[in-house]
Amino acid sequence: MGWSPLVRHSERAEFEYRMRDVAGPGGIRGRDTSGALFSAPPSPTYLPIVYVQPRAPNRAVRGLDVQALPATALTAQAAMVSGLPHVSEGMRLVQEVGEQRGVVMYQAAFPPGMGRRGVPTAPALGVVAAVFRMEDVLQSALGPQLPAHFRWCLLDPGAGPDNQRLS
């Protein structure tokens, strides 16, 4: 689980100063498709991950702008515009060292009374995220004692042709 507040470019320097102990000394960061992190380039807005649970194994994502990758940017934006939860395409998560892929579900947060489901009446304050590691999800659903002859594959038919395998 995580929280990413909406930060406008005009607020970036002050935000990075205030959040240096939370987001880390790198401030708001971007990420490329291989997982490498770098200082986020200028943008009209940012959605940096500020709070994440569990903390210890997820330190690498603090400060990461969820708008750094097209899939998460589109998903978070869709959640903020619609007021409804949206789920990203599959991706390699920042902290993964292997091939396990995950998806992220975003739900926009609005000022009290301003964001009825499907009818936002004010700009979003940011997004709450839930990350699902797909092999872990399937292992939990199917149980640890799968027969040796049993094989499974989880696909996202709505994703691009080169990005459909989730597990």
Side-chain angles (χ1 to χ4, degrees):
M1 298 294 293
W3 164 245
S4 299
L6 180 68
V7 177
R8 288 169 183 73
H9 183 69
S10 62
E11 304 163 334
R12 180 177 179 167
E14 179 185 348
F15 174 84
E16 289 180 326
Y17 178 76
R18 284 186 295 117
M19 300 307 290
R20 67 189 176 279
D21 294 331
V22 175
I28 299 174
R29 297 177 296 162
R31 172 190 169 209
D32 64 23
T33 55
S34 69
L37 297 169
F38 50 86
S39 181
S43 177
T45 62
Y46 310 91
L47 287 168
I49 299 170
V50 174
Y51 301 108
V52 63
Q53 286 294 328
R55 282 187 212 175
N58 293 301
R59 287 178 217 252
V61 302
R62 292 189 306 181
L64 176 64
D65 181 3
V66 302
Q67 299 177 113
L69 294 176
T72 52
L74 291 171
T75 307
Q77 188 63 31
M80 291 192 304
V81 168
S82 72
L84 299 171
H86 285 264
V87 179
S88 73
E89 288 186 3
M91 70 187 83
R92 183 183 160 277
L93 301 170
V94 171
Q95 66 274 33
E96 290 297 331
V97 293
E99 292 298 316
Q100 181 162 204
R101 296 172 56 76
V103 297
V104 184
M105 180 174 65
Y106 293 105
Q107 173 64 57
F110 296 93
M114 298 295 195
R116 293 181 306 142
R117 283 182 68 88
V119 189
T121 56
L125 299 173
V127 293
V128 176
V131 178
F132 299 92
R133 298 171 74 213
M134 299 315 296
E135 287 182 25
D136 291 349
V137 169
L138 282 176
Q139 189 68 34
S140 293
L142 298 174
Q145 303 300 324
L146 291 177
H149 64 277
F150 186 75
R151 298 286 183 253
W152 44 269
C153 182
L154 180 62
L155 299 175
D156 177 359
D162 296 334
N163 195 31
Q164 291 186 341
R165 186 186 67 78
L166 294 173
S167 177

